[in-house]
Structure formats: C-alpha cells, structure tokens
Amino acid sequence: QLYQIAEELYNTKLAIKVLEEANTIPGAKKVLVKFRLDFDNRDFVFSRSEKRTSLERLSLPAVPCSVLMTLFPFGIVFGEDMRILAAGEKLLQICGTCPEALLGQIITDYFKLRRPRGIPFTWKKCMF
C-alpha cells in the first residue's frame, strides 16, 4: 500500500526497510514493526523554506492598545520613562483604581518585578 500511495498520489519512488520486528505479547498475533522509509523529500523541504521566508517578510498591521488590553486583561504597557501607558481591565479592578489614577504613574511605584530575581526593574533590563 505504501509503495502504491507514494507512486500514485505523490509521484515518488519509495524504499522501505524493516528495522525491527517484535511480538507485543508472546504468542499473540499482534506484531510491532519499525520501518525506515527512504524517498526524495527535497520538494517538500524547499516549499517549507519558501513559506518560512515569506512569513519573515510578512508585516502585520498595527494593533490598537485597547485591543491588546482586551485580549490581555491583566496586561500592562509602560513606556521608556517607566510611566504606565495602559493597563488591562482586570488589573485595574484588582488594583481598585480608575484608569486615570494609574495611567501616567511610574510603574515601580505600583508594581514590583519578582522574577527573575536580582534584576532591577528598569527600561534597559526589561528590553533584553
């Protein structure tokens, strides 16, 4: 069946080698067989590399911050000056503040970086 499928569907020559054959339970009719399939796979590998290259060149449209905060309700966005630019709805609920009270504040006044330990919570350290 494998030879037939390879030739008719994929127009490929196939070489099959039995690597290992064993009974799963002694005396039972079930047999475990390991095969090695050798065939020319260059077209598939080439097509995958073409897709990867085209994805690398793909540019996505800008996403509004409000969409991100909806998708990540516990998310927080802060700028290079370490001031909070946006926060997710659930994070604001936990903090018990209205958005205006938190936005524009210095992030280190409200949040602490716990992991990784020993890393200062600065813009330079956050932008690896």
Side-chain angles (χ1 to χ4, degrees):
Q1 285 179 336
L2 290 175
Y3 287 119
Q4 198 70 24
I5 291 169
E7 284 184 29
E8 287 188 21
L9 296 180
Y10 298 104
N11 198 24
T12 300
K13 295 288 183 195
L14 182 64
I16 301 173
K17 181 180 177 185
V18 177
L19 298 178
E20 190 179 321
E21 198 172 325
N23 286 335
T24 54
I25 302 171
K29 292 184 180 180
K30 291 185 179 181
V31 177
L32 176 67
V33 181
K34 286 186 183 178
F35 295 102
R36 175 177 172 87
L37 305 177
D38 292 315
F39 55 94
D40 183 7
N41 201 24
R42 284 181 283 191
D43 290 339
F44 176 74
V45 171
F46 180 73
S47 71
R48 295 257 329 221
S49 66
E50 283 288 311
K51 286 180 186 175
R52 189 176 302 121
T53 305
S54 65
L55 282 176
E56 289 170 357
R57 286 182 262 152
L58 179 66
S59 62
L60 299 173
V63 177
C65 188
S66 60
V67 172
L68 290 174
M69 293 299 100
T70 302
L71 290 172
F72 303 101
F74 291 97
I76 190 164
V77 177
F78 57 96
E80 198 169 339
D81 60 355
M82 300 299 283
R83 295 197 179 273
I84 299 170
L85 301 173
E89 178 185 349
K90 297 300 178 187
L91 186 63
L92 293 172
Q93 286 177 359
I94 288 172
C95 292
T97 61
C98 62
E100 294 78 28
L102 196 58
L103 300 180
Q105 301 299 316
I106 305 236
I107 192 168
T108 53
D109 291 346
Y110 291 87
F111 299 96
K112 180 174 143 180
L113 187 63
R114 294 185 58 176
R115 291 205 174 111
R117 290 179 183 224
I119 302 293
F121 195 6
T122 63
W123 180 257
K124 266 188 170 177
K125 293 295 180 182
C126 290
M127 303 307 297
F128 318 122

